[in-house]
């Protein structure tokens, strides 16, 4: 079991169930399995035990970091650190969430794209969740290395924006981000972006291709939040909204849009040279004055904010 100075019944329970399962599990599933095995101690009770377990696991990871018995391989899922080097377990189960996120600094192979004829069959500039899920379920999504996507087809990107109360986080683009987002005269954005990769679609999220998990991870690392005590709440409150079709003379793309919700007391910061002048902007004023945003952000504000 767990060797800690002060034993915690919830952590002991999670350790036992995860050790038996040998797969990452959500806290609700851990509690469910514990009840089925009738191993819940009598002093643990309540209607929201999964939330208590989530909080205990999150605090343990926050306090002990790389020395914690637990880690997240995906938002909302936990696993045992002792299995990270166990090659009998699938790689995606034993890769900590932050390590996955570093891959965004590289050119991803097998990035997702949609054929032009499929995109042109939709007259609206917004694809709702149902349509996006159907495109994935039907096998319409294609994959290729960046730079090899056929001319005229639409590369798919994860696009997350960060919201706290009724304000959205805006920043000024550095040179790295400008090269992706186009119009050099409009340097402000609300976007945290990465190519939608074939690797994003995991067993934890097949319906929406893992875009929410990838977007949460993008934001956590860009804003230095991957060890925050608010992490579990961020995961629970964030959501995938749908997709937007964006076209310009320079490029065309599909944006899989996610809203990442931060609790009121959660601070943000970044040391990245590609992000400058972080500022919280009122949601209503952002809608009124969206013409200073780069085209992708302007489209997202128009369709989703």
């Amino acid at each position: 079991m767990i060797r800690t100075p002060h034993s915690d019944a919830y952590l002991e329970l999670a350790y036992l169930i995860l050790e038996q399962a040998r797969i990452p599990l959500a806290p609700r599933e851990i509690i469910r399995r514990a009840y089925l095995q009738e191993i819940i101690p009598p002093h643990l009770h309540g209607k929201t035990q999964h939330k208590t377990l989530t909080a205990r696991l999150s605090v343990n990871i926050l306090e002990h970091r790389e020395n914690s018995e637990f880690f997240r391989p995906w938002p909302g899922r936990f696993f045992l650190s002792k299995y990270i080097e166990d090659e009998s377990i699938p790689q995606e189960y034993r890769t900590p969430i932050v390590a996955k996120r570093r891959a965004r600094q590289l050119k991803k192979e097998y990035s997702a794209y949609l054929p032009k004829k499929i995109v042109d069959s939709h007259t609206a500039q917004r694809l709702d969740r149902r349509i996006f899920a159907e495109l994935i379920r039907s096998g319409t999504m294609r994959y290729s290395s960046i730079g090899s996507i056929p001319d005229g087809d639409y590369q798919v990107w994860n696009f997350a924006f960060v919201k706290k109360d009724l304000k959205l986080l805006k920043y000024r683009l550095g040179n790295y981000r400008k090269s992706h987002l186009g119009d050099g005269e409009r340097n402000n954005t609300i976007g945290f972006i990465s190519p939608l990769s074939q690797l994003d679609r995991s067993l934890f999220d097949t319906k929406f291709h893992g875009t929410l998990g990838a977007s949460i991870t993008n934001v956590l690392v860009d804003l230095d939040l991957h060890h925050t005590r608010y992490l579990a709440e961020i995961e629970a409150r964030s959501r995938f909204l749908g997709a937007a079709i964006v076209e310009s003379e320079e490029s065309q793309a599909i944006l899989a849009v996610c809203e990442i919700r931060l609790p009121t007391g959660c601070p943000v910061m970044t040391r990245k040279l590609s992000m400058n002048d972080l500022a919280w902007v009122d949601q209503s004023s952002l809608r009124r004055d969206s013409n200073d945003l780069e085209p992708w952000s302007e489209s997202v504000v128009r369709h989703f904010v």
Side-chain angles (χ1 to χ4, degrees), residues 40-162:
I40 294 280
H43 66 282
L44 299 186
H45 55 82
K47 295 182 179 180
T48 58
Q49 287 179 298
H50 63 285
K51 293 184 178 180
T52 303
L53 177 57
T54 301
R56 300 287 174 83
L57 288 166
S58 298
V59 169
N60 185 272
I61 293 171
L62 174 65
E63 291 180 347
H64 298 287
R65 303 201 177 190
E66 66 274 6
N67 295 320
S68 173
E69 297 277 354
F70 305 95
F71 72 96
R72 285 180 174 84
W74 201 259
R77 301 295 194 279
F78 296 88
F79 204 24
L80 298 180
S81 299
K82 72 177 185 177
Y83 291 135
I84 288 177
E85 303 299 329
D86 188 338
E87 295 185 0
S88 68
I89 293 174
Q91 182 70 47
E92 65 178 320
Y93 290 172
R94 52 192 179 89
T95 304
I97 191 172
V98 175
K100 283 183 179 180
R101 182 64 180 80
R102 295 189 188 109
R104 184 167 139 244
Q105 307 304 322
L106 306 173
K107 294 291 187 181
K108 282 189 177 182
E109 294 187 0
Y110 306 112
S111 291
Y113 71 93
L114 286 171
K116 177 176 171 54
K117 64 180 180 180
I118 298 297
V119 177
D120 290 348
S121 68
H122 296 279
T123 56
Q125 293 300 107
R126 170 175 172 163
L127 307 177
D128 64 25
R129 288 159 49 95
R130 179 188 60 81
I131 293 174
F132 190 80
E134 175 58 27
L135 290 173
I136 295 166
R137 189 192 66 79
S138 64
T140 302
M141 198 78 75
R142 302 285 186 268
Y143 304 94
S144 180
S145 59
I146 295 178
S148 301
I149 295 173
D151 289 343
D153 289 344
Y154 289 69
Q155 185 176 350
V156 186
W157 293 78
N158 297 308
F159 185 106
F161 64 88
V162 177

Side-chain angles (χ1 to χ4, degrees), residues 32-45:
R32 188 187 74 83
R33 293 189 183 203
Y35 270 108
L36 287 176
Q37 296 183 38
E38 299 182 346
I39 58 173
I40 294 280
H43 66 282
L44 299 186
H45 55 82

Side-chain angles (χ1 to χ4, degrees), residues 11 27 33 56 100 175 211 229 243 255 264:
L11 296 183
R33 293 189 183 203
R56 300 287 174 83
K100 283 183 179 180
N175 290 330
T211 186
R229 63 188 178 90
L255 309 181
T264 300

